[in-house]
Amino acid sequence: MQSRTHTCGELRITDAGKKVQLSGWMENFREVGAELGFVVIRDFYGTTQVVIETAEMMKTFKAITKESTISVEGVVRERSSKNPKLETGDIEVVPEKVTVLGRCRYNELPFEINHSREADEAARLKYRYLDIRNPEVKKNLILRSNVIAALRNAMIEHNFMEITTPILTVSSPEGARDYLVPARKHPGKFYALPQAPQQFKQLLMVSGIDRYFQIAPCFRDEDARGDRCPGEFYQLDMEMAFASQEDVFTIIEDVLPPVFAKYGKYNRASGSPFVRIPYLEAMEKYGTDKPDLRIDLTVTDVTELLRTEEFAPFAEGEIKAVVISDFHESRKFIDKTMADCEIQSGSKGYWFRVDENGEIVGGISKFVAPKKDEVVAKLGLKPDTLVVLSAGTKGAAQKMAGVLVKTFGSAVPGHMDKEQYAFCWIVDFPMYEIGEESGELEFCHNPFSMPSGGLDVLLKAEKGEIDPLSIMADQYDLVVNGIELSSGAVRNHDPEIMIKAFELVRLGEEDVKKKFPAMYNAFCYGAPPHAGIAPGVDRMVMLLSGEETIREVIPFPMNKNAQDIMMDAPGYVTDKQLEELHISITKTETSEE
């Protein structure tokens, strides 16, 4: 039995006179008179108006609740009053037969379908299947599907092989918390869901695979934020054998811009090659390793210039300044925006202003005015300029300066060219740092990145010929509009170099073997130089859609507390299930809803 001849978004004026059958949800019913009414039927593709012209048909439709699925058989005719906003706005269907396919048992819905985005988030997540019926919500899932298809096609065109890697694997000692899965046949042992296919994709390179990719699910037990959903996420995972950083950059700069140009909310995107900014320069110039290059504000170090014992915050540490020209906002605006920055950074901010007469006024002006000429010359100040400042340890001053750039840059008119996608590479990450808690040398980011200079530079550091803090790693981040889209690296594929890198942080061969036995053993059988990256698909779609939160582009997201309130997960299991897994619950706590 045929359920439909056309979709609800398909009929046009050229179809007038045809007998058709439509199937979909009854979105709306409007009774005008005893024998006149209008029904809107909706499916995945659009909506079509059905016009009721008999008392019998009116009785039939009045008995049907909204959001029931129905089948309508009838004749297409030209509308007397057309709706140019609808693709089907030139026609309507006069029904001859109506069949209820799936009745909605509720007279009242949790929210109006077409206004679901205005509803409480908890209601939207609990009734996500209703939320997705809203075309405004559904379009993000369509976008997601199109973007993934485009990425897959582009990778295949670049001779990458799609390979799926295991979901049940071993717990990793690095990174975020794992999701653990008890092993029934191995009491006391656990699998872990992969935080990323990192080890497997490197093992594929050792296996002789030249170019690998997959749209990979990743699982991390971490807290939510605007650009990160708890639980799981997806990434365009890729790895290349016999490859350098330049090879990875070439692929990414070839694959991503066309996708952003075709599917993005903005019609401008950075062309190849993307801007490259060394990590240390990014921290000094932008106060962050995730700069938003749509903003024209930068950070200037004014430590020596503004050092003074008369103002305690400037008596020690570092002082950073952000100059905001053409500033015409109120004192109230300054105070509110500065308060927002202080909440985000956890540090105090300071400011002064150059008024229309060129005088330094407001904020901490009395501590700056004695050095007016030097300050004006150093910062290039002109009338109607606001200067916001941070002070403290190097890290705290940089962090607050970065927040000042981002917050004031987006809030003050004329300093953010918002409607574009501004890509950049952050390169030359330090290999090591001094740990805040230990006070000793530690890995700064990825311990398995290849140190720039290889074994030679590590041996020099071991002999004391160079400072290990000066060693850079062949590691890179891809940033767009202030959001880290991905991290990647040239991998340390040589066991000798790997062991030496770990020895500098007081670890040795046995530690590496214990933590990563499969990968270390594989590398001992001859591994090719290899490099890779893994741009986040969810974040990419969020950027392309212009959404503020990542949950808007995920089909069935968890809430901020890592709960799926639609499926009631996580949930309790039976004692029998626990017994089979050799697990006993010794203590239960009531979690916050």
Side-chain angles (χ1 to χ4, degrees):
M1 176 183 172
Q2 188 175 26
S3 62
R4 60 186 177 188
T5 58
H6 299 77
T7 70
C8 293
E10 188 176 351
L11 295 173
R12 300 292 186 268
I13 191 67
T14 53
D15 295 305
K18 290 183 180 179
K19 186 169 183 176
V20 299
Q21 181 177 0
L22 303 179
S23 295
W25 284 263
M26 193 174 86
E27 180 178 283
N28 194 31
F29 168 73
R30 180 165 61 94
E31 184 178 4
V32 179
E35 297 183 358
L36 180 63
F38 299 94
V39 169
V40 175
I41 182 172
R42 178 193 70 244
D43 66 5
F44 176 84
Y45 304 96
T47 60
T48 297
Q49 177 173 283
V50 176
V51 59
I52 305 167
E53 296 180 325
T54 67
E56 183 180 355
M57 193 58 70
M58 179 69 73
K59 181 181 178 181
T60 300
F61 273 105
K62 287 180 72 173
I64 304 173
T65 50
K66 284 175 62 175
E67 291 304 310
S68 294
T69 54
I70 61 175
S71 173
V72 176
E73 297 177 46
V75 177
V76 182
R77 76 179 183 193
E78 183 177 359
R79 275 203 205 189
S80 57
S81 178
K82 297 179 173 58
N83 185 350
K85 295 181 180 180
L86 293 178
E87 292 185 343
T88 60
D90 289 345
I91 59 91
E92 59 193 9
V93 173
V94 181
E96 296 175 350
K97 180 182 177 182
V98 180
T99 305
V100 177
L101 304 175
R103 182 174 177 270
C104 176
R105 295 172 177 264
Y106 302 98
N107 291 320
E108 187 174 337
L109 300 170
F111 43 73
E112 284 294 324
I113 297 298
N114 288 339
H115 297 281
S116 68
R117 294 193 55 154
E118 301 166 16
D120 177 71
E121 184 178 66
R124 292 182 65 195
L125 294 178
K126 183 175 182 178
Y127 299 98
R128 182 63 168 168
Y129 43 85
L130 297 180
D131 190 28
I132 294 173
R133 292 184 192 179
N134 182 346
E136 287 300 305
V137 177
K138 178 184 65 182
K139 72 179 183 182
N140 284 338
L141 303 190
I142 296 172
L143 173 65
R144 182 188 180 98
S145 175
N146 289 336
V147 168
I148 289 174
L151 293 172
R152 176 174 280 114
N153 291 338
M155 296 304 288
I156 292 171
E157 288 175 2
H158 285 80
N159 298 318
F160 281 77
M161 179 186 297
E162 185 170 10
I163 302 176
T164 56
T165 51
I167 296 299
L168 288 178
T169 183
V170 68
S171 179
S172 169
E174 304 294 332
R177 289 181 293 272
D178 286 319
Y179 280 105
L180 301 177
V181 180
R184 179 177 59 84
K185 292 188 174 183
H186 306 277
K189 292 186 176 182
F190 294 81
Y191 302 103
L193 304 184
Q195 296 187 27
Q198 185 64 47
Q199 293 191 62
F200 287 110
K201 69 177 181 178
Q202 291 190 246
L203 291 169
L204 285 171
M205 299 299 101
V206 183
S207 304
I209 302 300
D210 194 65
R211 291 186 169 195
Y212 141 93
F213 90 98
Q214 69 170 313
I215 307 299
C218 304
F219 306 88
R220 296 179 188 175
D221 185 4
E222 55 191 4
D223 297 331
R225 63 188 189 201
D227 63 348
R228 185 173 71 195
C229 195
E232 64 183 278
F233 61 93
Y234 286 78
Q235 61 189 29
L236 172 61
D237 202 54
M238 60 168 279
E239 198 78 11
M240 306 167 66
F242 303 104
S244 66
Q245 174 177 288
E246 294 302 319
D247 296 311
V248 174
F249 285 10
T250 298
I251 294 295
I252 290 295
E253 291 174 2
D254 204 29
V255 168
L256 292 191
V259 174
F260 274 76
K262 182 174 182 179
Y263 295 107
K265 181 179 180 180
Y266 309 134
N267 59 15
R268 285 186 295 142
S270 302
S272 175
F274 297 162
V275 173
R276 301 184 188 187
I277 308 171
Y279 171 82
L280 295 177
E281 179 186 327
M283 296 303 297
E284 280 295 318
K285 189 174 180 179
Y286 301 102
T288 178
D289 59 355
K290 294 180 277 290
D292 189 340
L293 298 188
R294 298 175 299 170
I295 296 172
D296 65 5
L297 305 181
T298 55
V299 181
T300 301
D301 185 272
V302 290
T303 303
E304 296 304 318
L305 179 62
L306 295 183
R307 171 75 73 228
T308 176
E309 297 294 331
E310 296 180 11
F311 185 51
F314 288 4
E316 58 184 13
E318 296 193 7
I319 309 168
K320 308 293 183 182
V322 179
V323 176
I324 307 169
S325 59
D326 297 318
F327 184 82
H328 304 283
E329 306 301 315
S330 65
R331 169 65 184 269
K332 183 178 179 181
F333 172 90
I334 297 173
D335 290 342
K336 181 183 183 305
T337 311
M338 188 64 77
D340 290 342
C341 293
E342 291 173 355
I343 291 172
Q344 292 180 57
S345 69
S347 299
K348 180 73 176 172
Y350 313 94
W351 66 275
F352 66 86
R353 192 167 57 83
V354 180
D355 68 14
E356 65 273 14
N357 300 315
E359 297 300 320
I360 292 180
V361 298
I364 61 166
S365 57
K366 71 176 183 178
F367 301 109
V368 179
K371 299 181 179 180
K372 175 184 175 182
D373 292 342
E374 299 100 304
V375 171
V376 169
K378 168 81 172 178
L379 299 178
L381 302 182
K382 297 178 181 179
D384 294 319
T385 295
L386 175 70
V387 180
V388 289
L389 305 105
S390 64
T393 63
K394 186 182 188 72
Q398 286 180 336
K399 180 179 179 181
M400 178 57 165
V403 174
L404 291 171
V405 167
K406 183 177 181 179
T407 307
F408 277 89
S410 60
V412 179
H415 289 283
M416 184 178 190
D417 185 4
K418 184 176 181 180
E419 296 189 355
Q420 63 167 314
Y421 295 106
F423 287 87
C424 67
W425 292 106
I426 305 300
V427 297
D428 299 335
F429 281 81
M431 187 80 182
Y432 301 102
E433 64 182 355
I434 300 298
E436 290 184 7
E437 295 183 5
S438 68
E440 296 184 294
L441 196 70
E442 297 178 355
F443 285 113
C444 190
H445 291 90
N446 184 346
F448 293 100
S449 300
M450 180 65 77
S452 300
L455 183 61
D456 289 344
V457 73
L458 296 176
L459 292 173
K460 288 180 179 179
E462 185 179 52
K463 295 173 183 176
E465 296 177 8
I466 63 170
D467 186 346
L469 295 176
S470 69
I471 299 174
M472 297 294 131
D474 287 339
Q475 182 178 339
Y476 36 84
D477 280 0
L478 178 61
V479 177
V480 56
N481 293 2
I483 292 176
E484 179 192 316
L485 202 57
S486 181
S487 288
V490 175
R491 317 300 181 186
N492 190 340
H493 69 285
D494 187 321
E496 185 179 3
I497 301 176
M498 188 181 296
I499 296 305
K500 187 57 64 178
F502 274 78
E503 285 177 349
L504 289 182
V505 294
R506 305 162 307 285
L507 297 172
E509 183 175 3
E510 292 306 313
D511 296 291
V512 179
K513 283 182 177 180
K514 183 178 179 180
K515 291 183 177 182
F516 304 95
M519 195 162 68
Y520 180 80
N521 290 337
F523 285 178
C524 291
Y525 284 89
H530 55 283
I533 195 168
V537 171
D538 308 294
R539 288 184 182 179
M540 199 182 306
V541 178
M542 183 183 78
L543 285 163
L544 292 168
S545 65
E547 296 289 357
E548 294 295 325
T549 65
I550 205 163
R551 289 186 294 280
E552 291 293 348
V553 301
I554 296 174
F556 296 101
M558 290 186 176
N559 66 11
K560 294 177 182 178
N561 291 326
Q563 296 169 304
D564 181 344
I565 56 179
M566 180 182 67
M567 300 297 291
D568 196 22
Y572 294 105
V573 297
T574 66
D575 290 339
K576 182 180 179 182
Q577 288 174 293
L578 292 174
E579 186 178 342
E580 289 177 338
L581 296 170
H582 312 282
I583 291 176
S584 63
I585 305 298
T586 59
K587 184 179 179 182
T588 59
E589 296 180 359
T590 303
S591 60
E592 294 183 11
E593 293 295 332

